[in-house]
Amino acid sequence: MTFLLLLLFCFLSPAIFSAVSIPSTLDGPFVPVTVPLDTSLRGKAIDLPDTDPRVRRRVTGFEPEQISLSLSSDHDSIWVSWITGEFQIGKKVKPLDPTSIKSIVQFGTLRHSLSHEAKGHSLVYSQLYPFDGLLNYTSGIIHHVRITGLKPSTIYYYRCGDPSRRAMSKIHHFRTMPVSSPSSYPGRIAVVGDLGLTYNTTDTISHLIHNSPDLVLLIGDVSYANLYLTNGTSSDCYSCSFPETPIHETYQPRWDYWGRFMENLTSKVPLMVIEGNHEIELQAENKTFEAYSSRFAFPFNESGSSSTLYYSFNAGGIHFVMLGAYIAYDKSAEQYEWLKKDLAKVDRSVTPWLVASWHPPWYSSYTAHYREAECMKEAMEELLYSYGTDIVFNGHVHAYERSNRVYNYELDPCGPVYIVVGDGGNREKMAIEHADEPGKCPEPLTTPDPVMGGFCAWNFTPSGKFCWDRQPDYSAMRESSFGHGILEMKNETWALWTWYRNQDSSSQVGDQIYIVRQPDRCPLHHRLVNHC
């Protein structure tokens, strides 16, 4: 009898045991809800100054700083990254020699016995502007070391640096991901977007750390260094304040400030980043994404990608696909071909959950960036739907919104749940206007982002209009508040999504729902006749 009760317990849904009744997607689709704007809770969208002790350099010589972790393609390897030496900014800068110091990580399962060693590579990047009066930047030496042969769900201790120079970090630790299987998952996955480095950001990260995540997804727009001129002057709106600059400038030290502030989190918990529009950072010779691609380690090689702008990885029984919205994505593009191959290789008996992320949302009802990514949606939505994508995370819009299950703007029980979490706290402030409000629908031809392509939003609403005249059916819940989310996979079909608002206590929930997979109702792979 005891065995039968235990067996029954395993197969009952997690919602049955919740202290409070938490809805699930099985209860949907839900009637759209808009939480009223509370104008008293706008937070402090002001950047931390360079005098703040949390962003100042706290090491000397070539001791490591800005230490961060990122996952490789599976549980048995992890990347450790850090910076040594000081950046330079001025009219004339001389890059440091990356070969002048070694890239070594000492690690082990015992804190007092770091008996293993891994070596990696180092690099320096520069942000150069061929215009009079603009300052150039060259980074400290950036190190990336991949540790392999790790055991799943195991705590490892490590320190990084160059022992021959007596330039080693203090000892940190991390926990590896569980082995990929339908019964093993990271405990908590934090999801956040559009962070920046404001006082709002510090609240977001404080709340996020309180929730003890095992993994963090950052859905684009990291440091917002491109809201600054090279001399350190800044604005909430670059194009408004600096319309006549010969190139869109950046102040690269903001990246170093961001790395220092985040180290307390990123030295312990892997951070997986995908690029946003603020990472483009055009410079001399038409180079882009130099800071983003240099500062973070990505499992792009391990996942068969040729670019840091898109890649995939496993975390327990979840396969994550991180897509690039600011690199070619059409059906003839290399990224699209890579995505087809990557999805075809996913074994849903091993990694039942399929989660995709990219920066600009396909489903958002806010006026800001409304239908901006329509060309990407037209190119890729059918492919992701045909392989049974369960959840999509986006940023870009500085607010929170969760969708009903949707495909091609129609409610669909087999479509993904789209969640916009561009509410990390950056200085551009919150999005508060909705495209369905009177007078708030943008002119259609003003909506495309030139970097992403032309106008593709020909699929208008059922009434033939560009915007809905009420909150769209696909939009289940929306609120203009800063915060972050936590994803917890309970088993191979149930996942708990919780969104926390900065203005609340750390334990108070802003939105919560069980996302339920229905593989019997929604057969996987090649759901559509033609997805090529």
Side-chain angles (χ1 to χ4, degrees):
M1 177 63 72
T2 302
F3 173 77
L4 291 175
L5 288 173
L6 287 172
L7 191 64
L8 178 63
F9 181 90
C10 292
F11 281 96
L12 288 174
S13 80
I16 292 175
F17 301 101
S18 300
V20 180
S21 178
I22 300 173
S24 82
T25 50
L26 299 179
D27 304 318
F30 299 95
V31 175
V33 172
T34 298
V35 177
L37 176 67
D38 187 340
T39 56
S40 68
L41 298 173
R42 300 303 298 274
K44 193 174 182 183
I46 300 172
D47 274 345
L48 270 62
D50 58 9
T51 55
D52 191 296
R54 292 169 290 185
V55 305
R56 294 185 67 84
R57 191 169 188 259
R58 297 182 293 273
V59 300
T60 60
F62 282 91
E63 293 174 345
E65 65 160 349
Q66 303 180 50
I67 301 169
S68 65
L69 304 169
S70 57
L71 298 181
S72 187
S73 56
D74 225 323
H75 72 270
D76 58 355
S77 57
I78 197 166
W79 286 94
V80 183
S81 304
W82 68 94
I83 294 180
T84 54
E86 298 189 58
F87 67 78
Q88 303 166 54
I89 187 164
K91 293 182 179 179
K92 294 183 179 180
V93 293
K94 183 180 179 181
L96 297 173
D97 178 5
T99 65
S100 63
I101 188 165
K102 298 176 182 177
S103 306
I104 293 175
V105 175
Q106 298 170 343
F107 65 99
T109 55
L110 300 175
R111 184 183 182 91
H112 61 272
S113 180
L114 306 181
S115 55
H116 302 283
E117 184 175 282
K119 298 179 180 179
H121 67 277
S122 58
L123 60 98
V124 169
Y125 83 91
S126 297
Q127 191 79 12
L128 305 176
Y129 298 105
F131 300 99
D132 291 339
L134 272 59
L135 303 181
N136 296 313
Y137 170 95
T138 185
S139 70
I141 300 172
I142 302 171
H143 305 260
H144 298 301
V145 176
R146 185 184 177 206
I147 305 175
T148 60
L150 302 176
K151 298 177 182 178
S153 302
T154 302
I155 293 177
Y156 283 87
Y157 298 90
Y158 76 97
R159 60 184 177 188
C160 57
D162 184 349
S164 69
R165 300 280 293 267
R166 295 186 178 180
M168 296 294 287
S169 71
K170 69 178 185 180
I171 296 176
H172 301 277
H173 68 274
F174 61 83
R175 180 185 292 274
T176 52
M177 291 294 106
V179 68
S180 291
S181 85
S183 60
S184 59
Y185 300 93
R188 290 181 168 189
I189 302 167
V191 187
V192 67
D194 302 70
L195 266 179
L197 189 55
T198 69
Y199 291 95
N200 284 332
T201 308
T202 66
D203 289 342
T204 300
I205 297 302
S206 176
H207 281 224
L208 187 153
I209 290 174
H210 179 83
N211 278 318
S212 302
D214 298 285
L215 174 65
V216 179
L217 304 184
L218 176 47
I219 318 299
D221 285 2
V222 181
S223 73
Y224 286 79
N226 74 337
L227 291 184
Y228 286 74
L229 300 179
T230 62
N231 63 11
T233 305
S234 66
S235 172
D236 296 345
C237 174
Y238 185 99
S239 61
C240 306
S241 300
F242 315 120
E244 297 181 1
T245 56
I247 191 172
H248 191 130
E249 301 175 32
T250 70
Y251 187 64
Q252 289 294 300
R254 295 301 300 184
W255 279 101
D256 295 282
Y257 304 161
W258 191 91
R260 291 166 186 162
F261 172 78
M262 292 291 290
E263 182 179 331
N264 185 47
L265 171 67
T266 59
S267 61
K268 303 178 184 69
V269 181
L271 174 70
M272 307 305 290
V273 185
I274 195 64
E275 83 279 0
N277 55 299
H278 283 273
E279 281 71 71
I280 296 173
E281 297 187 329
L282 178 65
Q283 61 165 305
E285 300 179 357
N286 288 321
K287 291 182 179 180
T288 53
F289 296 106
E290 285 294 299
Y292 163 87
S293 296
S294 301
R295 290 176 178 270
F296 300 108
F298 308 90
F300 71 99
N301 281 325
E302 300 99 285
S303 59
S305 168
S306 62
S307 171
T308 60
L309 304 184
Y310 57 91
Y311 59 92
S312 66
F313 64 95
N314 291 335
I318 315 166
H319 185 71
F320 286 95
V321 176
M322 312 291 276
L323 297 177
Y326 303 97
I327 185 174
Y329 47 70
D330 58 83
K331 294 180 180 180
S332 63
E334 188 174 341
Q335 178 178 197
Y336 189 89
E337 288 299 313
W338 168 84
L339 178 59
K340 284 201 302 183
K341 293 176 182 177
D342 187 81
L343 294 175
K345 290 186 293 185
V346 176
D347 184 347
R348 300 298 279 271
S349 69
V350 177
T351 51
W353 288 90
L354 178 57
V355 178
S357 297
W358 59 89
H359 185 59
W362 294 349
Y363 290 95
S364 168
S365 58
Y366 286 84
T367 301
H369 307 298
Y370 182 70
R371 303 185 75 172
E372 182 178 285
E374 199 78 9
C375 290
M376 185 184 183
K377 176 181 175 297
E378 287 291 307
M380 289 184 157
E381 184 179 24
E382 187 176 314
L383 179 60
L384 289 169
Y385 175 82
S386 71
Y387 276 96
T389 302
D390 299 300
I391 307 170
V392 172
F393 291 113
N394 303 119
H396 203 39
V397 175
H398 302 159
Y400 174 75
E401 187 165 15
R402 170 176 54 82
S403 81
N404 286 305
R405 290 193 175 276
V406 61
Y407 170 66
N408 195 28
Y409 292 113
E410 298 289 337
L411 298 180
D412 188 320
C414 297
V417 174
Y418 289 80
I419 300 174
V420 177
V421 285
D423 56 345
N426 74 84
R427 65 178 294 171
E428 289 182 324
K429 300 182 175 61
M430 282 187 287
I432 60 175
E433 296 179 346
H434 307 114
D436 48 87
E437 296 173 357
K440 302 302 182 183
C441 180
E443 287 295 323
L445 293 180
T446 67
T447 58
D449 182 341
V451 178
M452 295 187 63
F455 182 80
C456 297
W458 302 108
N459 186 0
F460 283 20
T461 69
S463 62
K465 299 178 181 179
F466 187 62
C467 298
W468 279 255
D469 54 11
R470 56 180 172 80
Q471 186 172 353
D473 291 338
Y474 67 73
S475 175
M477 189 271 194
R478 63 188 183 187
E479 179 176 348
S480 296
S481 290
F482 291 123
H484 76 284
I486 296 289
L487 180 66
E488 303 171 76
M489 268 56 184
K490 300 301 183 180
N491 55 42
E492 62 185 288
T493 54
W494 285 72
L496 178 63
W497 167 254
T498 308
W499 176 63
Y500 296 92
R501 306 184 306 179
N502 284 2
Q503 63 262 33
D504 298 330
S505 67
S506 299
S507 59
Q508 187 172 339
V509 170
D511 182 36
Q512 193 168 53
I513 189 170
Y514 280 106
I515 299 173
V516 185
R517 297 180 59 246
Q518 295 180 276
D520 294 336
R521 182 179 185 180
C522 305
L524 303 176
H525 305 305
H526 307 284
R527 186 180 298 149
L528 302 179
V529 174
N530 178 18
H531 64 265
C532 299

